[in-house]
């Protein structure tokens, strides 16, 4: 189902995947602490962040993350760790 999405959070890294899109955030030193957006079909190695060029897709994916956070009762602590 192309409308289905999946969320994950591990060691301060958070992601939402839907179809071939992936929204990802990683806190320093592993990432820049900002949401990044990737097209896994054209960029399976996640090298080309599309968050600036795909603002509507970015917004939609962040909304999925917020839903995931709400559905699972997650709490974000200082520094990006999610409980």
């Amino acid at each position: 189902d192309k409308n289905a999405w999946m969320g994950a959070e591990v060691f301060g890294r958070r992601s939402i995947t839907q179809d071939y899109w992936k929204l990802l955030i990683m806190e320093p030193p592993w990432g820049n602490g900002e949401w990044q957006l990737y097209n896994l079909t054209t960029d399976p190695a996640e090298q080309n962040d599309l968050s600036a060029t795909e603002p509507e897709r970015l917004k939609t994916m962040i909304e999925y993350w917020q839903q995931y956070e709400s559905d699972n009762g997650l709490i974000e602590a200082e520094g990006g760790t999610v409980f």
Side-chain angles (χ1 to χ4, degrees), residues 27-39:
E27 298 300 325
W30 301 277
N32 65 8
E34 300 291 326
W35 285 114
Q36 299 170 318
L37 181 66
Y38 300 100
N39 180 320

Side-chain angles (χ1 to χ4, degrees), residues 19-54:
D19 198 18
Y20 54 84
W21 291 102
K22 182 175 183 181
L23 178 72
L24 173 69
I25 191 169
M26 295 189 299
E27 298 300 325
W30 301 277
N32 65 8
E34 300 291 326
W35 285 114
Q36 299 170 318
L37 181 66
Y38 300 100
N39 180 320
L40 299 176
T41 299
T42 59
D43 182 21
E46 301 173 11
Q47 300 297 305
N48 185 24
D49 178 11
L50 300 174
S51 59
T53 59
E54 295 281 347

Side-chain angles (χ1 to χ4, degrees), residues 8-81:
E9 79 285 337
V10 176
F11 304 119
R13 297 176 181 119
R14 295 164 273 171
S15 69
I16 290 289
T17 307
Q18 181 197 37
D19 198 18
Y20 54 84
W21 291 102
K22 182 175 183 181
L23 178 72
L24 173 69
I25 191 169
M26 295 189 299
E27 298 300 325
W30 301 277
N32 65 8
E34 300 291 326
W35 285 114
Q36 299 170 318
L37 181 66
Y38 300 100
N39 180 320
L40 299 176
T41 299
T42 59
D43 182 21
E46 301 173 11
Q47 300 297 305
N48 185 24
D49 178 11
L50 300 174
S51 59
T53 59
E54 295 281 347
E56 288 302 313
R57 172 56 57 183
L58 177 67
K59 179 181 178 225
T60 297
M61 297 296 280
I62 290 172
E63 288 170 356
Y64 291 149
W65 171 259
Q66 292 167 338
Q67 183 65 49
Y68 176 79
E69 202 171 37
S70 174
D71 288 351
N72 292 283
L74 300 180
I75 299 169
E76 185 174 339
E78 187 174 327
T81 303

